[in-house]
Amino acid sequence: MEEQEELFEHHRLVCDPGQEPYRIDKFLMDRLPNVTRNKVQQGIKDGFVKVNGQEVKPNYKVHPGDDIIVELPEPPRDTEVVPENIPLNIVYEDEHLLVVNKEAGMVVHPAYNNWTGTLVNALTYHFQQLPTMEGNDGRPGLVHRIDKDTSGLLVIAKTEKAMNSLAKQFFDHSIERTYYALVWGVPEEEEGTIDVHLGRSEKDRRVTVAIEDASRGRNAITHYKLLRDLRYVSLIQCNLETGRTHQIRAHMKYLGHPLFNDATYGGDKVLKGTQFSKYKAFVDNAFKLMPRQALHAKSLGFIHPATRKFIQFDSELPEDFKAVIEKWDNYVQYE
């Protein structure tokens, strides 16, 4: 008798009570990191995905309460985080929490292709016994995150009480988060609200796209305001009501104004202005000055878990951000 291959549980998902019928391959693609549709479908065909204990086909439609388990032949990666002596820019700290100003280029937590050198590796070196949210193994202290090449403020929980309080505030959308973004072009309306669902692109799972069909994707709301009109680009203030992956980057592209030098969303080429070689050379130099998407998490406000008082933190724009704004400002003044 052939010995059955041992399988290890990697993911377990339980459908919400309000879950609408949705193909399981698409359902898993929306919720699992670093997977393609082909990979999901093959895994379903190979019997690695079970719903309520039973194997299903890729066209199976999930229902409320479905218990979905993804099992694979190899064991999940050890979630133990290796402490690393990486300096942290701490702008506030007490016994309950801390607020850090993350520099661009630092990944927030260990994940595929980035198992070391992250903010979490640094946190576990400087702080012992940080709490971990349920289902968030390997990410002690984290209640939210920002992208690798986005700079700015993050709040870190130091106690279970603080984590639960902050997590509920994020869930209730009561946290005040302000971002500054440099985008291509100038919005027609000086301020407004983008209320369009977001979901992962079927062509590239690393990309978030706007989905006008409200029955798909997840609701996402961004409030924006024009701060500076620099003719070819503009400085925009964005306030998040929800916190979806790449929300500002995807919403601003949907509005027709991708972030300056955002390679993932098409902002790393000339999108506004002339095609003259002199102008192109200027833009290339601006790209070199800020070799990342122009996005900074500028301020953060929330109810303190212990004192129950509202506290708010603000941060300066990083040097590369200030330099690229100054460069554009000089260009439109003296061209």
Side-chain angles (χ1 to χ4, degrees):
M1 178 174 164
E2 188 173 318
E3 191 170 305
Q4 187 173 5
E5 185 175 35
E6 184 180 7
L7 298 178
F8 301 85
E9 181 176 320
H10 281 243
H11 303 280
R12 182 175 185 181
L13 305 165
V14 179
C15 293
D16 295 330
Q19 175 66 49
E20 296 181 359
Y22 197 48
R23 280 180 61 117
I24 190 167
D25 53 359
K26 294 183 178 180
F27 179 87
L28 290 176
M29 280 195 307
D30 286 342
R31 287 160 178 80
L32 301 184
N34 306 310
V35 298
T36 63
R37 187 170 184 177
N38 285 341
K39 188 174 180 181
V40 168
Q41 289 181 336
Q42 191 59 51
I44 295 171
K45 291 174 183 175
D46 291 342
F48 294 150
V49 177
K50 292 183 179 179
V51 180
N52 305 322
Q54 302 296 317
E55 294 182 14
V56 294
K57 294 181 179 180
N59 64 354
Y60 172 83
K61 292 186 177 179
V62 298
H63 297 85
D66 273 355
D67 188 353
I68 304 167
I69 294 178
V70 179
E71 299 176 308
L72 297 172
E74 76 275 12
R77 184 185 170 93
D78 189 353
T79 56
E80 183 181 355
V81 179
V82 179
E84 295 181 65
N85 186 6
I86 303 169
L88 290 172
N89 182 359
I90 299 174
V91 299
Y92 174 83
E93 182 183 359
D94 61 25
E95 61 187 301
H96 308 281
L97 56 87
L98 65 143
V99 176
V100 299
N101 190 358
K102 186 188 82 69
E103 63 182 29
M106 175 181 267
V107 175
V108 171
H109 60 76
Y112 183 69
N113 281 341
N114 290 289
W115 297 111
T116 60
T118 73
L119 176 65
V120 164
N121 292 109
L123 289 170
T124 54
Y125 178 89
H126 295 287
F127 303 95
Q128 279 70 51
Q129 298 179 324
L130 290 174
T132 301
M133 279 199 297
E134 185 177 349
N136 220 15
D137 290 345
R139 302 174 186 180
L142 290 192
V143 287
H144 68 130
R145 62 181 183 175
I146 57 179
D147 298 333
K148 173 185 175 182
D149 288 325
T150 298
S151 52
L153 299 178
L154 283 158
V155 59
I156 308 296
K158 293 173 70 175
T159 66
E160 292 283 352
K161 178 181 178 182
M163 175 156 280
N164 292 335
S165 172
L166 291 167
K168 186 175 189 310
Q169 290 181 64
F170 274 102
F171 180 80
D172 293 339
H173 309 313
S174 61
I175 298 265
E176 291 188 10
R177 287 173 287 172
T178 299
Y179 288 72
Y180 276 15
L182 189 71
V183 305
W184 280 105
V186 181
E188 288 185 19
E189 302 292 334
E190 290 196 0
E191 55 185 294
T193 296
I194 309 168
D195 184 354
V196 179
H197 281 217
L198 296 176
R200 292 187 183 274
S201 165
E202 292 189 5
K203 295 179 181 177
D204 186 346
R205 309 304 299 170
R206 298 167 299 177
V207 176
T208 297
V209 294
I211 301 172
E212 294 186 340
D213 180 356
S215 67
R216 297 178 54 232
R218 304 179 73 189
N219 75 302
I221 301 173
T222 304
H223 306 285
Y224 73 89
K225 180 167 67 174
L226 175 66
L227 297 180
R228 292 188 68 183
D229 178 345
L230 295 169
R231 196 179 313 165
Y232 306 106
V233 296
S234 52
L235 182 63
I236 304 290
Q237 175 181 307
C238 294
N239 291 86
L240 294 182
E241 191 167 317
T242 55
R244 309 305 180 200
T245 300
H246 295 183
Q247 178 171 320
I248 292 173
R249 299 165 70 186
H251 266 170
M252 292 312 297
K253 179 172 184 177
Y254 171 79
L255 200 65
H257 302 283
L259 268 60
F260 185 75
N261 211 9
D262 188 346
T264 303
Y265 292 89
D268 60 340
K269 49 186 172 287
V270 176
L271 297 180
K272 185 78 173 176
T274 70
Q275 294 300 313
F276 294 131
S277 57
K278 185 178 178 182
Y279 176 73
K280 285 184 176 180
F282 165 82
V283 173
D284 283 340
N285 287 331
F287 284 155
K288 291 173 185 174
L289 203 57
M290 191 175 192
R292 64 176 179 103
Q293 70 257 10
L295 185 62
H296 177 71
K298 194 169 189 306
S299 68
L300 188 63
F302 51 87
I303 300 293
H304 191 286
T307 67
R308 306 308 300 165
K309 292 181 179 178
F310 181 79
I311 55 176
Q312 190 165 33
F313 304 92
D314 191 64
S315 62
E316 290 284 328
L317 284 175
E319 291 305 316
D320 61 346
F321 209 133
K322 288 192 287 191
V324 83
I325 290 174
E326 184 179 357
K327 190 174 183 68
W328 276 106
D329 193 32
N330 288 334
Y331 185 83
V332 296
Q333 279 190 56
Y334 302 113
E335 69 165 329

